[in-house]
Amino acid sequence: MASMMQPQIILLKEGTDTSQGKAQLLSNINAVTAVGDVVRTTLGPRGMDKLIHDDKGSVTISNDGATIMKLLDIVHPAAKILVDIAKSQDSEVGDGTTTVVLLAAEFLKEAKPFVEDGVHSQNLIRSYRTASTLAIEKVKELAVSIEGKSVEEKKGLLAKCAATTLSSKLIGGEKEFFATMVVDAVMAIGDDDRLNLIGIKKVPGGNMRDSFLVDGVAFKKTFSYAGFEQQPKKFDNPKILLLNIELELKSEKENAEIRLSDPSQYQSIVDAEWNIIYDKLDKCVESGAKVVLSRLAIGDLATQYFADRDIFCAGRVAEEDLNRVAAAAGGTIQTSVNNIIPEVLGTCEIFEEKQVGGERFNIFCGCPSGRTATIVLRGGADQFIEEAERSLHDAIMIVRRAVKNSTVVPGGGAIDMEISKYLRQHSRTIAGKSQLFINSYAKALEVIPRQLCDNAGFDATDVLNKLRQKHAMQSGEGASYGVDINTGGIADSFANFVWEPAVVKINAINAATEAACLILSVDETVKNPKSESAQGDAAAGAMGRGRGGGGRGRGMRRR
């Protein structure tokens, strides 16, 4: 009787939502599967695009997994983990963002029946981690190195990797054209892996094939004053002066006050202002520079002054573009025009201003350092150019990774089928429940070739049966066979140059397994309510401020 009379212990604030146990885990798995279903149809060369329209009215058309995940604005706490792994895959290797989301969702989908049957999630996690380690070892074993080839051969191989990435994008129809451009751009920056050294400029109009690569720096013509049209627009081997100062008459920043006893002194003050700017301009001319760029404004006086002396100038140049000119031309950005020595000036073979579509571009070619490149993108609609830029970003990342880790694996679902076969064989050597769990992990990997078939409109069951049969051959010659998107059958992905860097697959398997294990390890979700009293206090405070601000203060004159 005494035990029944014990008071109830309240730990959490009233209104706190707690859910735990098996039902909670299954709810999280269902949420993750729902997110996977959203991006499922975007996988592969025949993947569909998503049109996302946000509350600000901007429209994004994309089939890049990371972009879609960012724009979905997911509120479910467990499903947000998929957004994070898509972002990490995008920043780490650039491609495979849809793959990583699909794999994580499929691993959990395969785990769901076991959870419903009462299997402890720690057993699943242990087996999944073991399977992940085995899968990554197998990928490394199957990877083929492209090291030790001549520069031309290596360029060709890298272009194949870029073309595989671009084949699933909106610009897939021109993948060879863009793949070569991407490889040339990455080769231009050499060992420096700063992504901002490759600029991508977008100019609406024309068609995709009007896009071109500048072996140097290109940026849009900046705002200009009268006198600009009299400046020369082309130079051979010019000296380039980079500044971070204003070249215009400045009014005093503070309310400075000058008292004059003699009106004739006023002219001397005006003359002093003009002498300061003329002194700056004279020093720029004396440096021998033929192209003057500044991050801050270059006024009308300076523009005309430079035009009279056959010097080109541009003010308000974006900091990113100015830094790229400095890296390419070998100059240093100056914050003063005093003591400009030849070492701080940059140079290039050809500088010219050129019309591209409706815009004029300043183009620096043949830079001595040469560690930068600019891709000028053309296309019809703005959304199309935006998506083309995202596609090229993925391709650039992939080529950079392939240059650094020069091993590739066959794409088109070939590597997934081979790992799946290997894990199935391995699971038969294990006694106990974990045999079933590793087998389910192996089955989940087949989602990639299956989805490639579904998205292309082929019979997935038929194609997967053919693939299983080919990969089961003892000789191992079927290891590189994947889905043939063109015919609806199977083909040797390696022979067809459907390649992807091994690091993409390794990272995807790692991230997807980690995410699946993380969600399986959660057994309780606690959702704290917003404090009603805090909201009430804030509202009362706002009302008080409104009342005080609107009324007439004591001691103020009546208007």
Side-chain angles (χ1 to χ4, degrees), residues 171-184:
I171 54 175
E174 303 286 354
K175 63 182 179 186
E176 281 81 12
F177 174 73
F178 282 110
T180 313
M181 193 185 284
V182 164
V183 172
D184 290 343

Side-chain angles (χ1 to χ4, degrees), residues 259-279:
R259 293 172 184 264
L260 301 173
S261 55
D262 181 1
S264 62
Q265 290 176 326
Y266 177 68
Q267 189 59 42
S268 65
I269 292 167
V270 174
D271 290 346
E273 278 190 328
W274 284 83
N275 288 339
I276 289 168
I277 187 159
Y278 274 124
D279 180 45

Side-chain angles (χ1 to χ4, degrees), residues 201-484:
K201 302 293 174 188
K202 303 178 288 249
V203 185
N207 64 15
M208 285 191 291
R209 280 203 169 264
D210 294 338
S211 305
F212 60 91
L213 176 73
V214 176
D215 188 15
V217 183
F219 56 84
K220 263 182 211 170
K221 171 180 151 330
T222 55
F223 175 80
S224 56
Y225 290 94
F228 176 80
E229 292 306 327
Q230 295 162 28
Q231 294 178 355
K233 301 293 186 289
K234 185 168 183 181
F235 292 102
D236 290 334
N237 297 310
K239 293 258 184 355
I240 303 165
L241 175 60
L242 307 170
L243 299 172
N244 190 14
I245 55 172
E246 288 175 325
L247 294 176
E248 62 179 348
L249 283 166
K250 292 290 291 171
S251 58
E252 290 296 335
K253 280 195 173 66
E254 305 301 327
N255 293 330
E257 188 178 298
I258 302 171
R259 293 172 184 264
L260 301 173
S261 55
D262 181 1
S264 62
Q265 290 176 326
Y266 177 68
Q267 189 59 42
S268 65
I269 292 167
V270 174
D271 290 346
E273 278 190 328
W274 284 83
N275 288 339
I276 289 168
I277 187 159
Y278 274 124
D279 180 45
K280 283 181 181 177
L281 297 175
D282 287 338
K283 284 176 178 169
C284 292
V285 174
E286 284 163 17
S287 70
K290 284 290 177 190
V291 177
V292 179
L293 304 178
S294 177
R295 198 171 80 78
L296 301 172
I298 293 180
D300 47 358
L301 170 73
T303 305
Q304 189 62 57
Y305 185 93
F306 286 135
D308 294 342
R309 287 155 185 76
D310 285 345
I311 293 173
F312 176 90
C313 71
R316 296 194 178 98
V317 178
E319 188 174 6
E320 179 196 349
D321 291 327
L322 205 64
N323 288 336
R324 283 180 39 238
V325 173
T332 311
I333 298 171
Q334 300 296 298
T335 51
S336 163
V337 289
N338 297 322
N339 193 25
I340 297 175
I341 54 174
E343 286 78 12
V344 301
L345 298 176
T347 184
C348 67
E349 283 177 19
I350 296 170
F351 164 78
E352 63 177 328
E353 187 174 290
K354 197 170 158 187
Q355 188 79 22
V356 180
E359 306 279 355
R360 291 190 72 75
F361 268 75
N362 299 331
I363 297 174
F364 300 80
C365 291
C367 301
S369 303
R371 291 203 325 273
T372 183
T374 309
I375 296 170
V376 180
L377 272 181
R378 306 296 310 281
D382 283 343
Q383 286 95 341
F384 183 84
I385 301 178
E386 294 281 344
E387 175 64 1
E389 183 189 12
R390 284 190 288 269
S391 306
L392 287 184
H393 168 266
D394 284 8
I396 288 166
M397 292 283 285
I398 282 295
V399 173
R400 276 173 64 221
R401 286 287 166 219
V403 168
K404 287 245 181 344
N405 315 356
S406 50
T407 54
V408 294
V409 291
I415 189 78
D416 307 273
M417 288 302 293
E418 187 61 20
I419 298 168
S420 179
K421 180 204 84 170
Y422 168 69
L423 288 176
R424 277 201 168 111
Q425 286 177 344
H426 178 82
S427 70
R428 292 192 192 112
T429 64
I430 303 169
K433 290 179 198 166
S434 59
Q435 176 181 1
L436 298 170
F437 308 151
I438 291 176
N439 207 34
S440 72
Y441 188 97
K443 188 183 172 193
L445 287 167
E446 288 184 354
V447 69
I448 304 296
R450 190 187 318 123
Q451 201 58 47
L452 287 173
C453 295
D454 286 343
N455 290 353
F458 303 139
D459 182 352
T461 312
D462 186 37
V463 176
L464 277 176
N465 282 338
K466 286 180 186 171
L467 278 175
R468 286 194 195 104
Q469 187 184 352
K470 201 75 182 171
H471 282 265
M473 293 170 77
Q474 293 301 316
S475 58
E477 64 185 48
S480 58
Y481 270 75
V483 180
D484 186 347

Side-chain angles (χ1 to χ4, degrees), residues 478-514:
S480 58
Y481 270 75
V483 180
D484 186 347
I485 290 297
N486 300 317
T487 63
I490 62 171
D492 189 334
S493 297
F494 232 101
N496 289 345
F497 305 116
V498 181
W499 301 349
E500 54 185 344
V503 68
V504 175
K505 216 69 205 169
I506 290 169
N507 209 66
I509 291 172
N510 244 333
T513 310
E514 281 300 319

Side-chain angles (χ1 to χ4, degrees), residues 123-171:
N123 292 341
L124 280 162
I125 291 170
R126 201 178 308 119
S127 299
Y128 273 17
R129 291 224 165 105
T130 308
S132 162
T133 311
L134 290 167
I136 288 164
E137 282 170 9
K138 190 68 178 170
V139 172
K140 288 177 180 169
E141 185 190 314
L142 292 168
V144 175
S145 176
I146 56 170
E147 202 58 80
K149 306 274 197 295
S150 68
V151 175
E152 282 308 309
E153 270 186 301
K154 199 163 186 184
K155 270 189 171 180
L157 297 173
L158 290 171
K160 301 283 193 305
C161 288
T164 303
T165 299
L166 291 171
S167 64
S168 66
K169 308 291 182 193
L170 209 56
I171 54 175

Side-chain angles (χ1 to χ4, degrees), residues 551-559:
R552 185 163 52 86
R554 189 191 305 159
M556 288 174 67
R557 188 162 57 86
R558 188 188 296 276
R559 293 188 187 282

